[in-house]
């Protein structure tokens, strides 16, 4: 039978789950520097990713048929090489739905309920209130741009809080808990309605700098922007301009065009910006959830069936 090479670190129990799902297959688990190139060249399935795959597999003839990456994003992979060799690519899309939904909610509440500002005053031992009634999320409108697994879970939670939810996605297909759905061609119309705009788009040629000056001019005045998608989806200078003008009252950013964000970057000094260091998807449950996705795909693969989860469309690049 075939060989599976896995880069993510797995416990003995987790490794056994893979072997139970693929009887007769052999499994090699180890960090990229620890796995011998000769073993990698024999792999039929690769779990995770390493530049070694490009160096020792894609440039040569090999039995590789399927790559299951350990991340939801795939924008850094060599699509053309994988597609040319007919190698299937699946992602861990969906593994982030719960933790990223939670951080989105935390970011929104940190602004609406004045939590971030209160923490800043706490550091100065200063008893200071906002001086005006605080807004609620209830009754406000959230625009979720990129309604996939994460966006669907976010919509579910926001509806529980009594928010109106507008969605934007490539297909325009309706999903539960979204009151109105737009295709990407209706992005600017959707943006104009949002008290909160939440970006969860992947990075593609079409989404690079999709939030440019024109897009921000369509934002509702005084709205809030949350970015947990990809940093390069946003033209940072255009965002700074929207923050300076007050078109956007608050931005919560987990991803950036340049990471780490340089210490002298203007975003650090803005009191209407919340910055987190690309941690939105961090969760103690990551490995188990990613493994669940792989196992379900693996069982179908071994049975000769179509992979049911997260098969990447090379044309769309996600």
């Amino acid at each position: 039978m075939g060989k599976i090479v896995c880069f993510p670190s797995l416990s003995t129990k987790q490794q056994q789950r893979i072997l139970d799902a693929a009887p007769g297959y052999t499994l090699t688990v180890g960090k990229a520097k620890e796995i011998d190139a000769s073993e990698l060249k024999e792999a039929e399935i690769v779990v995770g990713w390493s530049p070694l795959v490009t160096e020792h597999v894609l440039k040569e003839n090999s039995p590789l048929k399927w790559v299951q990456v350990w991340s939801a994003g795939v924008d850094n992979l060599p699509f053309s090489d994988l597609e040319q060799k007919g190698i299937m690519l699946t992602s861990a899309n969906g593994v982030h739905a719960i933790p990223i939904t939670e951080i989105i909610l935390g970011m929104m509440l940190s602004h609406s309920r004045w939590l971030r500002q209160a923490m800043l005053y706490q550091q100065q031992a200063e008893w200071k209130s906002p001086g005006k009634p605080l807004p609620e999320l209830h009754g406000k409108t959230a625009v979720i741009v990129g309604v996939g697994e994460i966006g669907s879970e976010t919509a579910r939670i926001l509806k529980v809080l009594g928010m109106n939810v507008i969605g934007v996605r490539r297909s325009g297909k309706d999903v539960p808990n979204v009151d109105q759905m737009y295709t990407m061609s209706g992005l600017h119309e959707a943006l104009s309605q949002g008290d909160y705009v939440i970006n969860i788009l992947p990075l593609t040629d079409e989404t690079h700098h999709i939030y440019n000056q024109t897009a921000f001019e369509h934002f509702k005045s005084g709205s809030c922007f949350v970015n947990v998608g990809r940093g390069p989806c946003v033209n940072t200078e255009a965002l700074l301009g929207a923050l300076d003008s007050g078109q956007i009252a608050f931005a919560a950013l987990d991803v950036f065009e340049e990471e780490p964000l340089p210490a002298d970057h203007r975003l650090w000094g803005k009191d209407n910006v919340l910055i987190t260091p690309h941690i939105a998807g961090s969760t103690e449950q990551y490995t188990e959830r990613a493994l669940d996705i792989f196992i379900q795909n693996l069982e179908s693969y071994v049975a000769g069936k179509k992979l049911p989860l997260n098969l990447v469309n090379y044309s769309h690049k996600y």
Side-chain angles (χ1 to χ4, degrees), residues 143-172:
V143 176
I144 302 174
V145 185
V147 187
E149 295 286 341
I150 298 168
S152 297
E153 177 65 9
T154 299
R156 184 182 72 83
I157 296 299
L158 296 185
K159 288 302 293 182
V160 171
L161 294 176
M163 296 192 75
N164 305 309
V165 179
I166 293 173
V168 181
R169 67 187 313 194
R170 184 188 185 99
S171 68

Short mmCIF file of all heavy atoms in Angstrom, two decimals, residues 143-172:
data_model
loop_
_atom_site.label_atom_id
_atom_site.label_comp_id
_atom_site.label_asym_id
_atom_site.label_seq_id
_atom_site.Cartn_x
_atom_site.Cartn_y
_atom_site.Cartn_z
N VAL A 143 -21.77 43.34 8.63
CA VAL A 143 -21.54 42.86 7.26
C VAL A 143 -20.36 41.90 7.32
O VAL A 143 -19.25 42.29 7.68
CB VAL A 143 -21.24 44.01 6.30
CG1 VAL A 143 -20.91 43.47 4.91
CG2 VAL A 143 -22.42 44.97 6.22
N ILE A 144 -20.60 40.65 7.00
CA ILE A 144 -19.55 39.62 7.01
C ILE A 144 -19.12 39.39 5.57
O ILE A 144 -19.90 38.92 4.74
CB ILE A 144 -20.05 38.31 7.63
CG1 ILE A 144 -20.54 38.55 9.06
CG2 ILE A 144 -18.95 37.25 7.60
CD1 ILE A 144 -21.18 37.33 9.71
N VAL A 145 -17.88 39.73 5.27
CA VAL A 145 -17.36 39.59 3.91
C VAL A 145 -16.49 38.34 3.84
O VAL A 145 -15.40 38.28 4.40
CB VAL A 145 -16.56 40.83 3.49
CG1 VAL A 145 -16.14 40.72 2.03
CG2 VAL A 145 -17.37 42.11 3.72
N GLY A 146 -17.02 37.32 3.16
CA GLY A 146 -16.36 36.02 3.11
C GLY A 146 -17.09 35.05 4.02
O GLY A 146 -16.59 34.70 5.09
N VAL A 147 -18.29 34.65 3.60
CA VAL A 147 -19.12 33.80 4.46
C VAL A 147 -18.85 32.33 4.15
O VAL A 147 -19.56 31.70 3.36
CB VAL A 147 -20.62 34.13 4.31
CG1 VAL A 147 -21.44 33.34 5.34
CG2 VAL A 147 -20.86 35.61 4.47
N GLY A 148 -17.80 31.81 4.78
CA GLY A 148 -17.51 30.38 4.71
C GLY A 148 -17.83 29.76 6.06
O GLY A 148 -18.81 30.12 6.71
N GLU A 149 -16.98 28.83 6.51
CA GLU A 149 -17.20 28.18 7.79
C GLU A 149 -17.15 29.19 8.94
O GLU A 149 -18.00 29.19 9.83
CB GLU A 149 -16.15 27.09 8.01
CG GLU A 149 -16.23 25.93 7.03
CD GLU A 149 -17.40 25.02 7.30
OE1 GLU A 149 -17.93 25.07 8.43
OE2 GLU A 149 -17.80 24.27 6.38
N ILE A 150 -16.14 30.05 8.93
CA ILE A 150 -16.00 31.04 10.01
C ILE A 150 -17.15 32.04 9.96
O ILE A 150 -17.77 32.34 10.99
CB ILE A 150 -14.65 31.77 9.91
CG1 ILE A 150 -13.49 30.79 10.05
CG2 ILE A 150 -14.54 32.86 10.97
CD1 ILE A 150 -12.14 31.37 9.67
N GLY A 151 -17.42 32.56 8.77
CA GLY A 151 -18.48 33.54 8.64
C GLY A 151 -19.84 33.00 9.03
O GLY A 151 -20.66 33.72 9.63
N SER A 152 -20.09 31.74 8.72
CA SER A 152 -21.37 31.13 9.09
C SER A 152 -21.52 31.02 10.60
O SER A 152 -22.60 31.27 11.15
CB SER A 152 -21.49 29.74 8.45
OG SER A 152 -21.50 29.84 7.03
N GLU A 153 -20.44 30.62 11.28
CA GLU A 153 -20.49 30.52 12.73
C GLU A 153 -20.61 31.91 13.37
O GLU A 153 -21.35 32.11 14.34
CB GLU A 153 -19.23 29.82 13.25
CG GLU A 153 -19.11 29.72 14.76
CD GLU A 153 -20.18 28.86 15.43
OE1 GLU A 153 -20.94 28.17 14.71
OE2 GLU A 153 -20.27 28.88 16.67
N THR A 154 -19.90 32.89 12.80
CA THR A 154 -20.01 34.25 13.29
C THR A 154 -21.43 34.77 13.15
O THR A 154 -21.98 35.40 14.06
CB THR A 154 -19.02 35.17 12.55
OG1 THR A 154 -17.69 34.72 12.77
CG2 THR A 154 -19.13 36.61 13.04
N ALA A 155 -22.05 34.51 12.00
CA ALA A 155 -23.42 34.94 11.77
C ALA A 155 -24.37 34.33 12.80
O ALA A 155 -25.26 35.01 13.32
CB ALA A 155 -23.86 34.56 10.36
N ARG A 156 -24.16 33.07 13.11
CA ARG A 156 -25.02 32.39 14.09
C ARG A 156 -24.96 33.07 15.45
O ARG A 156 -25.99 33.33 16.09
CB ARG A 156 -24.61 30.92 14.23
CG ARG A 156 -25.50 30.11 15.14
CD ARG A 156 -24.99 28.68 15.27
NE ARG A 156 -23.77 28.60 16.08
CZ ARG A 156 -23.77 28.56 17.42
NH1 ARG A 156 -24.91 28.62 18.10
NH2 ARG A 156 -22.64 28.47 18.07
N ILE A 157 -23.73 33.39 15.90
CA ILE A 157 -23.56 34.03 17.20
C ILE A 157 -24.12 35.45 17.19
O ILE A 157 -24.78 35.88 18.15
CB ILE A 157 -22.08 34.04 17.60
CG1 ILE A 157 -21.56 32.60 17.77
CG2 ILE A 157 -21.86 34.85 18.87
CD1 ILE A 157 -22.27 31.82 18.85
N LEU A 158 -23.89 36.20 16.13
CA LEU A 158 -24.36 37.59 16.07
C LEU A 158 -25.88 37.66 16.03
O LEU A 158 -26.48 38.60 16.57
CB LEU A 158 -23.74 38.31 14.88
CG LEU A 158 -22.21 38.46 14.91
CD1 LEU A 158 -21.74 39.31 13.73
CD2 LEU A 158 -21.73 39.05 16.23
N LYS A 159 -26.52 36.68 15.40
CA LYS A 159 -27.98 36.66 15.40
C LYS A 159 -28.52 36.41 16.81
O LYS A 159 -29.55 36.97 17.18
CB LYS A 159 -28.50 35.59 14.44
CG LYS A 159 -28.34 35.91 12.97
CD LYS A 159 -29.01 37.22 12.57
CE LYS A 159 -30.52 37.16 12.66
NZ LYS A 159 -31.16 38.43 12.23
N VAL A 160 -27.82 35.60 17.58
CA VAL A 160 -28.23 35.36 18.97
C VAL A 160 -28.20 36.67 19.76
O VAL A 160 -29.03 36.90 20.65
CB VAL A 160 -27.31 34.31 19.64
CG1 VAL A 160 -27.58 34.22 21.13
CG2 VAL A 160 -27.51 32.94 18.99
N LEU A 161 -27.27 37.55 19.42
CA LEU A 161 -27.15 38.84 20.09
C LEU A 161 -28.13 39.88 19.56
O LEU A 161 -28.14 41.02 20.02
CB LEU A 161 -25.72 39.37 19.94
CG LEU A 161 -24.63 38.56 20.64
CD1 LEU A 161 -23.26 39.14 20.32
CD2 LEU A 161 -24.85 38.53 22.15
N GLY A 162 -28.94 39.49 18.59
CA GLY A 162 -29.95 40.40 18.08
C GLY A 162 -29.46 41.34 16.99
O GLY A 162 -30.08 42.39 16.75
N MET A 163 -28.37 40.98 16.32
CA MET A 163 -27.86 41.83 15.25
C MET A 163 -28.49 41.47 13.90
O MET A 163 -28.94 40.34 13.68
CB MET A 163 -26.34 41.71 15.15
CG MET A 163 -25.58 42.18 16.37
SD MET A 163 -23.79 42.33 16.07
CE MET A 163 -23.73 43.83 15.08
N ASN A 164 -28.53 42.44 13.02
CA ASN A 164 -28.87 42.18 11.62
C ASN A 164 -27.59 41.75 10.91
O ASN A 164 -26.54 42.37 11.12
CB ASN A 164 -29.43 43.44 10.96
CG ASN A 164 -30.62 44.01 11.71
OD1 ASN A 164 -31.55 43.30 12.02
ND2 ASN A 164 -30.56 45.30 12.03
N VAL A 165 -27.66 40.72 10.09
CA VAL A 165 -26.45 40.18 9.46
C VAL A 165 -26.59 40.20 7.94
O VAL A 165 -27.54 39.65 7.38
CB VAL A 165 -26.15 38.75 9.94
CG1 VAL A 165 -24.90 38.21 9.24
CG2 VAL A 165 -25.96 38.72 11.46
N ILE A 166 -25.65 40.88 7.31
CA ILE A 166 -25.55 40.90 5.85
C ILE A 166 -24.29 40.13 5.47
O ILE A 166 -23.25 40.28 6.13
CB ILE A 166 -25.47 42.34 5.32
CG1 ILE A 166 -26.79 43.06 5.57
CG2 ILE A 166 -25.10 42.38 3.84
CD1 ILE A 166 -26.76 44.55 5.22
N GLY A 167 -24.36 39.31 4.45
CA GLY A 167 -23.22 38.52 4.01
C GLY A 167 -22.78 38.86 2.61
O GLY A 167 -23.59 39.32 1.79
N VAL A 168 -21.50 38.64 2.34
CA VAL A 168 -20.95 38.79 0.99
C VAL A 168 -20.11 37.56 0.71
O VAL A 168 -19.22 37.22 1.50
CB VAL A 168 -20.08 40.06 0.85
CG1 VAL A 168 -19.56 40.19 -0.58
CG2 VAL A 168 -20.85 41.31 1.27
N ARG A 169 -20.40 36.89 -0.38
CA ARG A 169 -19.59 35.72 -0.77
C ARG A 169 -19.59 35.59 -2.29
O ARG A 169 -20.48 36.11 -2.97
CB ARG A 169 -20.11 34.45 -0.11
CG ARG A 169 -21.48 34.01 -0.56
CD ARG A 169 -22.06 32.85 0.23
NE ARG A 169 -21.12 31.76 0.43
CZ ARG A 169 -21.49 30.56 0.83
NH1 ARG A 169 -22.77 30.28 1.09
NH2 ARG A 169 -20.60 29.60 1.00
N ARG A 170 -18.61 34.89 -2.78
CA ARG A 170 -18.43 34.77 -4.23
C ARG A 170 -19.67 34.20 -4.92
O ARG A 170 -20.13 34.72 -5.94
CB ARG A 170 -17.22 33.87 -4.51
CG ARG A 170 -16.86 33.73 -5.98
CD ARG A 170 -15.78 32.68 -6.18
NE ARG A 170 -15.34 32.62 -7.56
CZ ARG A 170 -14.25 33.21 -8.03
NH1 ARG A 170 -13.49 33.92 -7.24
NH2 ARG A 170 -13.93 33.10 -9.30
N SER A 171 -20.23 33.15 -4.35
CA SER A 171 -21.37 32.48 -4.98
C SER A 171 -22.69 33.20 -4.77
O SER A 171 -23.63 33.03 -5.55
CB SER A 171 -21.49 31.05 -4.45
OG SER A 171 -21.89 31.07 -3.07
N GLY A 172 -22.78 33.98 -3.70
CA GLY A 172 -24.04 34.62 -3.35
C GLY A 172 -25.06 33.66 -2.76
O GLY A 172 -26.20 34.04 -2.48
#
